[in-house]
Amino acid sequence: ATDPVWFAGVRIYPNAAKRQALVTVSLGNATGQPGRGVLKASARCLTTPKGAAPAPLSVPVQWSATGGEVTFVYELGPTAPLWDEFNPALHELTLEIPGATAPHRATFGLREIEVADKQLALNGRKIFLRGTLECCIFPLHGYPPTDLAAWKRILSVARAHGLNHLRFHSWCPPEAAFLAADEMGFYFQVECSAWSSQFNKGGLVDQWLYEESERIVAANGNHPS
């Protein structure tokens, strides 16, 4: 259930160097009538809550009879902390629109991945992924856990062995896994749920895989992990 006008999707693209985030908001509209209003955005750092919060932002928006989209840049300030395995600083963005009974909240981290001298670099520092496979093997229950505590335990075991990375072989973990990794500074490699010899042959599986990858990014792309 949603409000007649609601947040259909929020994507946050961090710019670590400039300490800012490009935010794209998709609005849904079930009223059948176009409308307009002011979108209010505010952010705070969850890991250093005593620091100075960036100034809130008001953005004029309008939507058609079916919905709309608005994009804006949110300045987090020159002292906003970055996210990595050594300092997993998290930020929370709160969005409000007229008519919505509850604000929309999204958590993200300031981090950028690039290639430097043929090595992966995070926020300008070269990193080495020390990882293992996570093949969705949970024999006690037959399904992966969906609670935060269980995934913190799994990642703690991996970290105790000197790891900082998990590859989810041919599957995407539940949201609780991303939340745990965000807090603990763990890196994830996520894959679509397919291991097929029919891939890349022009069949329906190709279309499904690309569409599923877009759905995975839409659902989990704001997680810094």
Side-chain angles (χ1 to χ4, degrees):
T2 69
D3 292 304
V5 178
W6 72 95
F7 292 99
V10 176
R11 289 300 312 276
I12 303 172
Y13 304 93
N15 187 320
K18 295 183 178 180
R19 298 300 202 277
Q20 64 185 26
L22 177 68
V23 183
T24 298
V25 178
S26 299
L27 298 176
N29 181 14
T31 67
Q33 299 294 326
R36 64 178 62 223
V38 176
L39 183 148
K40 296 181 179 179
S42 59
R44 65 188 182 104
C45 182
L46 297 176
T47 45
T48 55
K50 295 183 179 180
L57 187 66
S58 294
V59 182
V61 296
Q62 57 184 6
W63 51 89
S64 69
T66 57
E69 186 174 282
V70 61
T71 298
F72 61 92
V73 173
Y74 195 106
E75 301 286 348
L76 295 165
T79 61
L82 306 183
W83 184 94
D84 61 17
E85 63 184 286
F86 307 104
N87 181 41
L90 295 174
H91 302 267
E92 182 183 68
L93 180 68
T94 300
L95 302 172
E96 298 177 87
I97 54 173
T101 56
H104 178 91
R105 291 184 172 87
T107 303
F108 67 100
L110 281 174
R111 56 97 180 90
E112 289 187 62
I113 301 172
E114 60 183 347
V115 176
D117 299 326
K118 299 182 179 181
Q119 285 186 250
L120 288 176
L122 185 72
N123 298 334
R125 174 165 49 187
K126 294 179 182 179
I127 62 173
F128 189 83
L129 296 181
R130 309 179 306 277
T132 186
L133 285 177
E134 171 43 69
C135 292
C136 199
I137 300 172
F138 298 95
L140 293 183
H141 299 94
Y143 57 86
T146 57
D147 61 287
L148 186 62
W151 281 101
K152 283 187 174 182
R153 184 194 70 82
I154 292 171
L155 298 185
S156 295
V157 172
R159 176 153 287 170
H161 286 76
L163 305 184
N164 66 357
H165 163 251
L166 286 184
R167 174 196 170 193
F168 290 86
H169 192 326
S170 303
W171 74 293
C172 177
E175 185 181 25
F178 291 95
L179 294 173
D182 292 347
E183 292 184 18
M184 297 176 64
F186 232 77
Y187 307 130
F188 279 179
Q189 176 185 330
V190 176
E191 300 174 357
C192 289
S193 300
W195 193 1
S196 172
S197 62
Q198 299 305 308
F199 176 61
N200 205 26
K201 294 185 178 180
L204 290 177
V205 67
D206 291 8
Q207 178 183 347
W208 178 83
L209 283 170
Y210 285 113
E211 291 176 351
E212 182 71 354
S213 68
E214 293 294 336
R215 287 188 286 263
I216 289 174
V217 172
N220 305 300
N222 293 334
H223 293 286
S225 54

